[in-house]
Amino acid sequence: MAGRRTVADRLAEAFGAVLGTDRIPLRLRGWDGSVAGPPGAPVVAVRSRRALRRLAWSPGQLGLGRAYVAGEIDIEDDVFDTFAALRSAGRLAEKGRVVPPTARDRLGLAATALRLGAIGPEPEPPAEEADLGRSGRRHSRRRDAAAIAHHYDVGNDFYELVLGPSMVYSCAVWESPATGLDVAQEAKLDLVCRKLGLTEGDRLLDVGCGWGSLAIHAARRYGSGVVGITLSEEQAQRARKRVAEAGLTDRIDIRVQDYREVDDGPFDAISSIGMSEHVGRAEMPAYARRLHDLLRPGGRLLNHAIAWNAGTATWNPDTFIARYVFPDGELLGLGETVALLEDGGALEVLDVEALRRHYALTLRAWVRRLEEHWDAAVAASSPGRARVWRLYMAACALAFESGEMGVNQVLLRRPGGEQPPLRRDAWV
């Protein structure tokens, strides 16, 4: 019948209610093959009524994320173009904040679901969604260990496919966009060692040591002894294997240990790379005091952490990244981070370096590697897990490019001991 509304037309109404716009920036393909939306826009395929049911129950980024992870929504065009279009629309343009649909939008979404036969009980979340409710109080040692296991214990082979041979899971330092990922990661490792002033025989504590890349670099290039700690059993196993293969077992000790349990200081230097995001705002003063106490007078601490640049952020358990990527993670602003490190631990700030653009390049490189090795990554984890990483890394790359998120290296020292160099060019 002429003028009859197709499945895709109805889906456009539903997406408009979720995104808060009458003009969705996507071209939607329905499960019946119908298409709606502006020509030339990135195509998103809705493969199942279950996706619409998820949106009716969770009308926002969490519902969209669940449907994508479950394979009920798929991206047919470039992932960055698609997410850029989504970020330009209505509620998802609110600098990463979760803005709920209005009551009117919810009613319209329910009506659309009814017309398309998508009404029913709320679908179970995909298996990749975190559930830490039985793991105790947030940021207790037990629950922190569970949160780390959720993110990092997903298969060392999976991470190697995404990260490459460097096995470094934090922002690289790029000479130019043409610099290769492995070269840029080695440059970051060396920058950290120079900022910490490492020399032969120094003791370095690497908090959140990952797969041991910084420990190996510091021991091999600078002759340092390193204690690397992680809460991930899988990371520790692979890190120990890499240390043994490098012939550095006499210099590097990899432990499964909470930073609050380390009792064999003092250390000449401490690195915390991409770890303090897991600490939590309430625990930051105790974190700073603990690292202060583990440093010798004059010893340096490098805290490398992602920051929220779009105003004050509070932990929201109903966001995609909280449920699927970093459960219990909290991003602080740079100013708040510096204040907590400086005041809570009586540490003196020596230098702050912003690496926002470097992380955007790093994330794009990881997404390229994931897509190049997609079948192997799925085999090493699960289709849902690969989708989680693709979504979060691509979305974060755009957030770093826009300036909503940043990443900063804050170099501090424990007062006392020898004085640091007069100029920062001693370590850059």
Side-chain angles (χ1 to χ4, degrees):
M1 180 187 300
R4 182 178 178 182
R5 299 184 68 77
T6 66
V7 167
D9 291 330
R10 297 296 186 187
L11 289 172
E13 294 175 355
F15 271 67
V18 171
L19 299 176
T21 179
D22 293 331
R23 297 182 179 181
I24 62 167
L26 301 169
R27 193 159 176 80
L28 297 176
R29 189 186 310 281
W31 53 78
D32 65 340
S34 61
V35 177
V43 176
V44 171
V46 182
R47 304 196 182 282
S48 167
R49 288 179 174 83
R50 184 178 288 263
L52 185 53
R53 191 186 303 172
R54 289 191 194 278
L55 291 178
W57 281 95
S58 298
Q61 63 165 254
L62 185 57
L64 286 169
R66 284 171 168 166
Y68 177 70
V69 173
E72 298 152 2
I73 291 177
D74 209 358
I75 294 169
E76 295 191 358
D77 292 304
D78 179 79
V79 64
F80 293 104
D81 290 345
T82 303
F83 289 149
L86 276 168
R87 283 167 51 84
S88 71
R91 297 185 180 95
L92 295 189
E94 296 291 331
K95 294 189 174 181
R97 291 174 173 79
V98 179
V99 181
T102 64
R104 180 180 179 181
D105 285 336
R106 285 178 178 271
L107 285 173
L109 187 56
T112 300
L114 179 62
R115 292 188 188 99
L116 293 178
I119 292 295
E122 183 176 14
E124 287 292 321
E128 291 77 13
E129 185 165 319
D131 180 10
L132 304 184
R134 300 180 181 179
S135 299
R137 175 181 55 84
R138 190 155 67 97
H139 295 307
S140 66
R141 299 186 191 191
R142 178 186 173 192
R143 181 151 163 171
D144 278 353
I148 293 298
H150 171 83
H151 188 88
Y152 296 97
D153 290 352
V154 300
N156 290 324
D157 293 342
F158 172 82
Y159 274 108
E160 190 166 7
L161 289 167
V162 176
L163 305 179
S166 70
M167 289 298 283
V168 180
Y169 191 28
S170 54
C171 175
V173 174
W174 301 73
E175 185 68 25
S176 76
T179 303
L181 175 63
D182 294 334
V183 172
Q185 288 293 15
E186 184 171 3
K188 188 273 296 297
L189 297 177
D190 205 63
L191 178 63
V192 171
C193 292
R194 294 199 311 273
K195 286 184 175 183
L196 290 173
L198 294 181
T199 58
E200 184 81 25
D202 280 349
R203 291 189 78 213
L204 168 66
L205 173 64
D206 187 17
V207 181
C209 66
W211 292 272
S213 298
L214 177 59
I216 291 170
H217 189 90
R220 179 185 286 157
R221 298 286 184 88
Y222 291 84
S224 300
V226 186
V227 172
I229 61 172
T230 175
L231 295 180
S232 168
E233 293 280 355
E234 290 195 22
Q235 279 189 334
Q237 291 172 11
R238 179 62 66 88
R240 289 168 185 148
K241 183 175 184 290
R242 296 179 73 212
V243 167
E245 291 171 346
L248 294 170
T249 53
D250 60 328
R251 293 188 180 181
I252 301 174
D253 178 18
I254 302 293
R255 307 172 185 171
V256 178
Q257 189 175 36
D258 191 290
Y259 73 93
R260 290 164 285 199
E261 297 169 345
V262 177
D263 60 1
D264 55 337
F267 293 89
D268 299 288
I270 298 177
S271 53
S272 177
I273 313 297
M275 181 272 175
S276 65
E277 298 93 328
H278 298 284
V279 170
R281 177 181 279 105
E283 300 297 321
M284 278 294 288
Y287 163 83
R289 286 193 298 271
R290 185 66 193 139
L291 298 190
H292 165 275
D293 293 346
L294 288 168
L295 276 173
R296 65 166 174 80
R300 299 182 197 175
L301 161 67
L302 183 77
N303 192 84
H304 172 124
I306 298 170
W308 182 245
N309 290 348
T312 302
T314 56
W315 185 78
N316 186 332
D318 291 328
T319 58
F320 175 81
I321 202 162
R323 294 292 186 94
Y324 284 88
V325 188
F326 294 110
D328 288 354
E330 288 188 77
L331 298 186
L332 309 182
L334 173 60
E336 187 176 13
T337 297
V338 170
L340 290 169
L341 289 171
E342 200 173 29
D343 296 340
L347 295 164
E348 174 192 359
V349 174
L350 298 178
D351 187 63
V352 177
E353 182 174 9
L355 298 172
R356 175 183 64 81
R357 294 177 64 198
H358 294 262
Y359 211 1
L361 291 170
T362 304
L363 286 156
R364 282 186 175 265
W366 288 342
V367 172
R368 284 195 299 271
R369 284 193 55 86
L370 175 60
E371 294 188 332
E372 288 168 1
H373 300 90
W374 184 261
D375 291 342
V378 167
S381 56
S382 70
R385 182 66 62 188
R387 285 170 171 268
V388 168
W389 258 242
R390 185 186 190 218
L391 191 159
Y392 112 75
M393 291 191 302
C396 283
L398 296 174
F400 280 100
E401 287 170 354
S402 71
E404 291 170 26
M405 296 169 68
V407 63
N408 307 286
Q409 290 187 348
V410 182
L411 182 64
L412 309 103
R413 69 187 285 271
R414 176 173 174 169
E418 73 279 7
Q419 291 297 314
L422 288 172
R423 299 293 301 275
R424 72 187 301 267
D425 56 12
W427 51 71
V428 297

